[in-house]
Amino acid sequence: MTLLRTPFGRERLGSWLHGRTRDPLVMNSLYLTATTVVTSLLGYVFWTVAARMYPASAIGEAGAGVSAMGFASLLGALGGSMAVLAELPGKRRPREWSTTITAPLVFTSATSAVTAVATVAVLSRIGHSAFLYRDGWWVAAFVVGVVATTASQVLESVWLAERQAVWFLGASTVFAVVKLVVVVLPVFAVLGATGILSAWSCVLAATTAGCLLVLVRRFGYRPSLAGLRGQIRSMRQSLVGNYVISVGDQVTLYAVPVIVALKVSPEAAGWFYVAWKIGGFYAVFASAVGTSTFAEGSHRPDRVLSLAWSGMKMILPFIALGAAATIFAGRLVLRVFGAQYSAHSYALLVLLSLGAFPDAVVTIYRGVLRVHKRYRTAAAICWGISVSRLAFTALALGWWGIAGAGWAWLATQTAGALWCALDLAVHRGAVQAAPIQATALKSNALQGAAVQATAVRATADVVTVLKEDS
């Protein structure tokens, strides 16, 4: 008889599961991971269906356009989504809560529109697809897509900050399913690459509008431009700090494939790209837990270290399982794409899977630093890793081929994890004391306010008595 078959075992398991499902850190992480899995699978179906309906040239042009939209959104977002995670949990008054959403939503949408237009201006002069960026319909779809991408990320942070990540899962699923239906409509199919990009942007914009409607109807969100400038000014530090961190963290995701394409043969670049895309899945768990640690830590800054440690223990088994599966079955997975991929991409894939361990440390600790507003340290770690990775990748490709990119990834992530460990060892006391000091200051302020209120009431009583005597 196994333990789970006994009443005691079933009771313990039920109690454990009940506790886990009530933990916001666990649930937000699970919903974020589920969102990535669902959208990745449906995204694969989307491009498969599109490949059967559109010529290969249209698929390439639309894929490049979607990537360019993501990059333009990264430049224009200005840390708005992360600023929401940092600021929203402390806003309990309805008007302040709504303004904290409206300010970054409006501000980053405007800046994203600017970066979208700037991206169009650059891409209309270079590359094989320059003619598309001189077409009015393509430009309109591109700008709408960039703005909608940024706005959807801000709203994603609202769901996380309010411990309602299930809404983000629902919105992402709706977007993935509806765009799959829309892209096959004849009105889009006749437009080729422009039709694919237009379908993507239109559905994303409609989904974002639907999320705003849910916020208004269900959560009492009241959009207003009153006090917008003051709110943006008060969030300036959070916006700038999180923007520098986010760009430093994500710049290599765009730059490394470009460096590989320039340094190796087109055939080798294809082998690299397949392993790179599969290897990106290893970061899903760390990214979900890191973001959830930041969101939940903003509610409970005094417990952010314990939250980070709980998140680390939660994802390490999954990362270890992924690494083991890659080592023993990676060649079989790559063989689906062809024998050459199995022969040339396996070493790179294994190195990327091993790099997921230190990547988890860096990602989760970055959430801790964001909670305590240590933006300079977090930015220094992110940019230190990225700059060294780009330099090491350029050198290592000449030494070990495409596997050199994997060695660069593993080495720089490990160095970053060591940096995080040293920083925690040096600043652990300060990190733990910061929320306590903040609580003490708040308590002192409340006590002062209470004393002042008591004095005012006593003065009013004296005045009343004097009036009665007179």
Side-chain angles (χ1 to χ4, degrees), residues 37-88:
V37 172
V38 169
T39 54
S40 297
L41 291 176
L42 292 177
Y44 175 80
V45 175
F46 173 85
W47 288 110
T48 301
V49 171
R52 294 181 177 275
M53 294 191 58
Y54 295 80
S57 59
I59 299 299
E61 291 163 351
V66 171
S67 297
M69 284 198 310
F71 184 68
S73 174
L74 172 64
L75 295 179
L78 296 180
S81 59
M82 291 301 170
V84 169
L85 283 180
E87 303 290 337
L88 197 62

Side-chain angles (χ1 to χ4, degrees), residues 1-178:
M1 178 180 291
T2 64
L3 178 63
L4 291 180
R5 291 181 180 179
T6 65
F8 175 75
R10 289 194 297 269
E11 181 179 349
R12 290 292 300 273
L13 177 62
S15 176
W16 182 83
L17 290 174
H18 180 69
R20 287 291 183 180
T21 55
R22 297 183 63 182
D23 187 343
L25 175 67
V26 174
M27 296 311 298
N28 270 349
S29 300
L30 289 177
Y31 284 130
L32 285 177
T33 303
T35 299
T36 303
V37 172
V38 169
T39 54
S40 297
L41 291 176
L42 292 177
Y44 175 80
V45 175
F46 173 85
W47 288 110
T48 301
V49 171
R52 294 181 177 275
M53 294 191 58
Y54 295 80
S57 59
I59 299 299
E61 291 163 351
V66 171
S67 297
M69 284 198 310
F71 184 68
S73 174
L74 172 64
L75 295 179
L78 296 180
S81 59
M82 291 301 170
V84 169
L85 283 180
E87 303 290 337
L88 197 62
K91 309 296 183 184
R92 295 298 92 190
R93 295 179 180 177
R95 184 172 181 177
E96 289 182 346
W97 185 82
S98 294
T99 305
T100 305
I101 296 173
T102 303
L105 184 63
V106 172
F107 180 61
T108 59
S109 295
T111 54
S112 294
V114 173
T115 58
V117 173
T119 304
V120 168
V122 173
L123 295 181
S124 64
R125 298 178 180 275
I126 61 175
H128 299 292
S129 301
F131 69 96
L132 288 171
Y133 292 89
R134 292 191 289 268
D135 177 75
W137 189 261
W138 174 277
V139 171
F142 185 86
V143 173
V144 168
V146 172
V147 174
T149 298
T150 300
S152 66
Q153 291 170 351
V154 173
L155 296 179
E156 170 194 348
S157 294
V158 174
W159 304 129
L160 292 176
E162 293 301 312
R163 299 165 172 167
Q164 298 287 334
V166 63
W167 287 97
F168 175 54
L169 172 60
S172 300
T173 303
V174 169
F175 166 63
V177 172
V178 175

Side-chain angles (χ1 to χ4, degrees), residues 192-402:
T194 303
I196 298 176
L197 192 73
S198 299
W200 187 291
S201 298
C202 289
V203 176
L204 182 57
T207 306
T208 303
C211 289
L212 282 172
L213 186 61
V214 170
L215 277 178
V216 171
R217 294 286 183 86
R218 190 176 181 89
F219 293 91
Y221 170 57
R222 295 295 180 264
S224 173
L225 298 181
L228 186 66
R229 182 178 299 179
Q231 184 64 34
I232 293 174
R233 190 181 300 113
S234 69
M235 297 176 68
R236 181 174 53 192
Q237 181 187 14
S238 183
L239 287 167
V240 174
N242 284 296
Y243 176 66
V244 175
I245 294 169
S246 296
V247 174
D249 175 49
Q250 299 180 41
V251 66
T252 55
L253 299 180
Y254 298 95
V256 169
V258 174
I259 293 175
V260 172
L262 295 174
K263 297 283 289 186
V264 302
S265 66
E267 188 178 29
W271 301 331
F272 164 83
Y273 191 72
V274 168
W276 181 257
K277 296 302 290 184
I278 296 174
F281 186 75
Y282 299 125
V284 168
F285 300 108
S287 178
V289 174
T291 304
S292 298
T293 298
F294 180 26
E296 190 59 25
S298 296
H299 285 279
R300 299 180 285 174
D302 57 317
R303 291 196 57 204
V304 67
L305 285 179
S306 62
L307 290 170
W309 180 238
S310 298
M312 183 65 69
K313 291 190 293 184
M314 180 172 61
I315 63 172
L316 280 179
F318 294 101
I319 295 176
L321 180 63
T326 300
I327 293 172
F328 293 106
R331 293 187 186 275
L332 294 176
V333 174
L334 292 169
R335 199 167 294 164
V336 173
F337 298 90
Q340 289 183 321
Y341 291 93
S342 178
H344 296 281
S345 303
Y346 174 72
L348 172 60
L349 189 60
V350 169
L351 291 169
L352 293 175
S353 70
L354 295 177
F357 290 98
D359 176 63
V361 175
V362 174
T363 301
I364 293 177
Y365 190 65
R366 185 169 61 240
V368 174
L369 294 174
R370 276 174 154 156
V371 168
H372 292 289
K373 302 187 184 303
R374 294 182 58 204
Y375 300 125
R376 291 184 179 181
T377 301
I381 292 173
C382 290
W383 279 100
I385 292 173
S386 294
V387 172
S388 59
R389 178 177 298 156
L390 295 177
F392 191 12
T393 298
L395 294 173
L397 288 171
W399 300 336
W400 301 302
I402 62 172

